[in-house]
Structures are given as structure tokens and as C-alpha cells.
Amino acid sequence: MFERPRGGERAVLVRIGLNAPVRADDLSEFEQLANAAGAQVVATITGRRERPDPRYFLGSGKAEEVNQAARTHNADLVLVDHPLSPSQERNLEKLTGRRVLDRNALILDIFAQRARSHEGKLEVELAQLKHLASRLVRGWTHLERQKGGIGLRGPGETQLETDRRLLATRVRTLTARLEKLRQQRDTGRSARAEVPVPSVALVGYTNAGKSTLFRTATGADVYVANQLFATLDPTVRRLQLPGGANVVLADTVGFIRELPHELVAAFQSTLTEARLAHLLLHVIDASDERRDEYIDQVNAVLTDIGAGDLPQLRVYNKIDRLGIEPRIERDESGVIRQVWISAASGAGMDLLRAAIAERLEVHARRRWVLLPASRGGLRAKLHAAEAVREERVLPDGALWLQVDLPESELERLAREPGVKVADRAPPDASACEALPANLELSPSPQGTATRRRRSGTRSQAGLK
């Protein structure tokens, strides 16, 4: 009989090089993962094999070395920097008497600690349950209830079957809840798309400085720390570019080598922001010697989630560590491909905003737009996009709006029924009554716009 050991904080780390020696950088990254999960590393075991051992992955001799290290240092956990099969994990637990977690389970545990939003917590739980489903094998044999004494014989259900049934029920419940949340998120995206604002997503290897860049660019109060997976839940803010144009900037979860497939499948809320973006800002730690390798790993994950063909702008961050100046680099066609900045000091942020505007071609144009009285809904959307700079009302209830919008959006507005776009201030604009700042437009049941003050009193501008 075998019951899985309880967890703890004192951990032995295991890293095996397959057909190659263990790289110091890979081992260091695994130590950072362990620290991010709250583990106290008490010993590290490394080795080299031609191929994984079917029983322990590391081989019987190395497995016994791990067992001795765990006993010597009174460890609670054995953390293996490789994906283990359920049988390999179970065999190591039987040998050591300690709980064994492979790389995937460790990353899932970190995500469980860091998720803050309701959707993020559901996604982590779903990923953990799917990972656990393959490990419900002979873990609870002492609880079987198929056999019994006199009067207890007959059909029954083992504890293992009960666990599987409960787990499957919970997976279905979580899947249904997440689908509902995704529909709500899609509805919000559809509403924002009615007045299209280009979206930009930050992607990159974990700890490359995405959240620091996001906070510097938008002023958002997001958590920033020098650790792996410091932020998980997607955060979206508006970013103003040179000329007054706005884009939506989204911060996403950091990628890492051998990212568990359970997370790629489950974390759709974050990954969708990247998949539906008009432009990806690939944030790279310029001071990291393995940056080219990390670029390839991030691109591989982007391909897995269907974002591999999206336009990219590489942002080389942390140039203050190299002592170099901010700059923009173009390809042979003159297209901006790379921007070198320091998000921590703010150096080069003006170059980054200019590069985003050029890549998206969203330089704003200031124009006057005439809206009929019946288009109160369109006025509200323009205000929601923060595009309105001045507003005046005509005696018949029509509105002149001075807006900052990209040329493509102005062309789209000009095709709207009853809407006119003027390059210069309209002749009658000076004769218009300025719209009070506390005045709102709301569509009436008949589809015409009514005007009211937030206080509920009638406007003195002659509007009803």
C-alpha cells in the first residue's frame, strides 16, 4: 500500500543532462523556479544520461543518490527539472518517501500562488486537475472498498474511481465557467471594436521586464518583481502615441522553456490578448547572454497559440546594464524592427512610442466631425475612445466634434449615415453653443438622442 507523502519547503533539486552536460544557466533558472514557489533548496543533484531511465528517469544509481541527499538534509520535496511520467514520479516517491514534483507541476504550483483574478484562478485549477488526472494511479489503494466481509460483498467503487469521477465532474464545471467568462470577454472586445483602437501585446521570456515596461509606458500600478512569473493575469491599459492617437496595451504572462502544455491550453485569457493583437512587442533582456535562444523559445510558444504570424517589434530592454544609448534599428526596407530601451530608467520610451505609431500607422489627425442628433451612441463611443477634444451643439441638436483619430478611422466615420468630416473648423462652429461639460447623451427608445445633465435638470442650451 502507498500513500503519497505530504509536501513541504525543504527541497532537493535534480537536473539531468540528456546527451549533454548540465548547463549552469538551466540549473540557475530551475533554482529560480524553486525559489519562486517558496522552496528552500538544501541540495542539488546533477548528472548525465544518454536517454531517460524508464523506471526513475535518472537511473537507479542516481535515484539512490537523490534518496540519500533527501535523508541527509531532511528534505521534504524532490524537484526534478524534467517532465516525469506518472510511473516515474510514483517510483521516486516510493524510493525516497518524499513528495516528487516534476517541472510541469512546479510551474503549475507557482501559477496557483500568483493568480489573482477569478478567471486566472479557474484556469490554474483546471490545468492542475488535468495534470493530476494522469497521476491518480494506485495512490490510494488502502481506501479500496470493492471487497468486504459478510454482508458487504458486491459491486462497489474504489476510492480511485471515486476520485476520477469527482475530478471529471470538477473539470466539466470549470470548463463551463471559463467558457462563460470567455464569452463575456469576447462581448467586451466586440463592443470596443465598434470604434476600433489598435491593440498591442507585450510578450517575451519571463523576467525580461514586461511589467516594468508596461508600468513605465502607461503609469498603471502593476506588480513588478525580479522573479519568474511575477504577474499572470492580463492587464490592459490605454497608451497615447505621438500625435494624440491611442492604442490598447496588454501585459501578458511571461514565457519559459518547456512551458507546460496544460498551461498553454488553459491560460486562454492571457494568450488571447496576444493572439488578437495588431502588433506584438517582443520584450528581450538585452543583457542576457542567452537572449537569442530565448527569442526562439518565445516564438515557438507564439506559434503554438496561433500568434506566430503576427507583426513583431523587438524591444531590447535593460540597456542600462550594458551602458549603451537608446536607438531604433530598421531593416533593408526601412521598416523599424528593433528598439533599444531601458524601461527601468525610461530611456528610449519616446523612441518606442514613435516606433509603435509608425508600425501601426496610427498617426492621429485632428478633424471636425458633424453628428446628427440621432447619433448619440456614436458620440459616446468616440468619448470612450478618448478621441474628442472639443464639442459644440447646433440649434437643431446636431453636434460638431473636434476629434483626434487615425486617417482610416476618419474615412470610416465619413461613410456613416448623416456624418460629415471637415478638415477645418466649420463656418458655423463659432456660432454654436459650447456643450456643457456635465452634459450627457443617451439614446431614447425611439432611437433619437436626448440630452440631459447628470444632475437631472434641463440644459440651458435650449436642448430638450
Side-chain angles (χ1 to χ4, degrees):
M1 294 184 294
F2 168 61
E3 181 175 358
R4 302 190 74 188
R6 296 181 179 274
E9 295 182 353
R10 296 175 61 83
V12 174
L13 304 189
V14 181
R15 170 75 186 177
I16 302 297
L18 297 177
N19 295 318
V22 174
R23 298 178 59 170
D25 291 341
D26 289 340
L27 187 59
S28 175
E29 181 182 273
F30 189 52
E31 290 177 352
Q32 292 181 56
L33 281 174
N35 293 332
Q40 178 186 352
V41 179
V42 295
T44 301
I45 304 297
T46 60
R48 177 175 179 176
R49 287 184 61 84
E50 295 300 321
R51 63 183 62 87
D53 177 67
R55 186 177 183 186
Y56 294 117
F57 185 90
L58 9 154
S60 57
K62 190 62 66 174
E64 184 58 38
E65 183 181 344
V66 172
N67 181 31
Q68 293 299 325
R71 295 179 184 277
T72 301
H73 297 280
N74 194 26
D76 306 303
L77 293 168
V78 175
L79 304 179
V80 182
D81 192 19
H82 306 275
L84 299 178
S85 69
S87 62
Q88 290 169 341
E89 181 178 303
R90 196 163 56 252
N91 290 335
L92 280 172
E93 287 184 341
K94 287 182 179 180
L95 176 66
T96 63
R98 270 75 176 172
R99 188 166 183 84
V100 175
L101 296 180
D102 65 359
R103 180 183 179 85
N104 292 358
L106 179 61
I107 294 177
L108 287 170
D109 183 81
I110 297 172
F111 274 49
Q113 296 180 42
R114 303 285 169 78
R116 293 292 179 265
S117 69
H118 176 60
E119 185 175 7
K121 292 177 181 179
L122 292 181
E123 288 175 325
V124 170
E125 183 181 354
L126 179 60
Q128 287 180 312
L129 291 178
K130 289 182 176 180
H131 180 77
L132 179 63
S134 62
R135 282 153 171 77
L136 291 179
V137 182
R138 294 181 59 82
W140 306 98
T141 54
H142 63 292
L143 294 179
E144 287 186 357
R145 292 292 180 264
Q146 281 185 324
K147 296 179 180 180
I150 297 174
L152 296 177
R153 296 186 179 92
E157 184 178 44
T158 65
Q159 184 64 42
L160 174 60
E161 291 169 342
T162 301
D163 290 344
R164 283 177 173 167
R165 176 171 50 81
L166 295 176
L167 187 147
T169 300
R170 182 61 177 169
V171 166
R172 288 194 297 270
T173 300
L174 292 176
T175 302
R177 290 183 181 177
L178 286 170
E179 182 59 31
K180 183 176 181 180
L181 289 173
R182 287 165 190 159
Q183 290 176 358
Q184 294 173 351
R185 190 182 294 274
D186 290 342
T187 300
R189 289 193 183 96
S190 300
R192 293 195 299 268
E194 293 184 7
V195 178
V197 177
S199 60
V200 179
L202 295 172
V203 298
Y205 207 78
T206 186
N207 212 25
K210 296 184 303 302
S211 295
T212 302
L213 173 57
F214 186 82
R215 184 172 65 178
T216 302
T218 66
D221 185 18
V222 296
Y223 179 69
V224 176
N226 183 25
Q227 59 184 202
L228 303 185
F229 301 122
T231 54
L232 294 182
D233 299 309
T235 307
V236 179
R237 293 291 186 275
R238 193 174 300 274
L239 173 66
Q240 190 172 60
L241 301 179
N246 291 305
V247 298
V248 172
L249 185 64
D251 187 18
T252 65
V253 65
F255 299 154
I256 197 170
R257 63 180 176 86
E258 301 174 17
L259 188 67
H261 292 290
E262 295 94 339
L263 289 178
V264 175
F267 254 72
Q268 294 301 319
S269 64
T270 290
L271 300 179
T272 298
E273 298 295 342
R275 190 169 57 250
L276 299 182
H278 295 85
L279 178 67
L280 299 179
L281 296 188
H282 186 164
V283 183
I284 303 161
D285 184 352
S287 63
D288 198 313
E289 295 179 354
R290 299 179 62 183
R291 67 190 188 196
D292 292 336
E293 179 182 339
Y294 293 157
I295 289 172
D296 294 337
Q297 291 169 354
V298 170
N299 288 333
V301 176
L302 291 174
T303 300
D304 289 342
I305 66 174
D309 295 331
L310 293 179
Q312 270 194 33
L313 176 62
R314 291 185 180 180
V315 182
Y316 286 86
N317 190 24
K318 304 183 183 181
I319 61 173
D320 50 310
R321 297 183 178 181
L322 301 176
I324 61 178
E325 294 298 319
R327 68 178 187 271
I328 285 178
E329 293 184 359
R330 301 176 182 268
D331 61 15
E332 59 277 3
S333 303
V335 178
I336 298 178
R337 297 297 182 186
Q338 300 177 3
V339 183
W340 296 70
I341 68 163
S342 171
S345 66
M349 292 301 297
D350 53 340
L351 297 179
L352 178 60
R353 291 188 178 91
I356 295 173
E358 183 173 327
R359 286 294 301 269
L360 291 175
E361 297 181 352
V362 291
H363 295 287
R365 303 289 187 268
R366 181 159 294 186
R367 299 290 186 268
W368 285 89
V369 177
L370 176 65
L371 299 183
S374 60
R375 302 307 301 271
L378 181 55
R379 169 192 178 266
K381 293 173 184 175
L382 290 170
H383 273 284
E386 299 181 2
V388 179
R389 298 294 172 263
E390 188 177 344
E391 188 170 34
R392 292 183 174 271
V393 62
L394 294 171
D396 62 354
L399 290 168
W400 276 110
L401 304 180
Q402 189 183 50
V403 299
D404 287 335
L405 284 173
E407 198 67 44
S408 58
E409 293 307 311
L410 292 169
E411 293 175 358
R412 190 187 65 82
L413 281 176
R415 294 192 296 268
E416 291 281 339
V419 178
K420 296 181 180 179
V421 177
D423 293 338
R424 297 181 177 84
D428 49 355
S430 59
C432 299
E433 184 72 20
L435 198 62
N438 63 343
L439 199 64
E440 291 182 332
L441 292 183
S442 59
S444 68
Q446 292 76 24
T448 59
T450 59
R451 290 159 175 80
R452 56 183 173 81
R453 290 183 183 273
R454 293 189 179 95
S455 62
T457 59
R458 179 171 295 181
S459 168
Q460 300 302 314
L463 303 177
K464 298 181 179 180

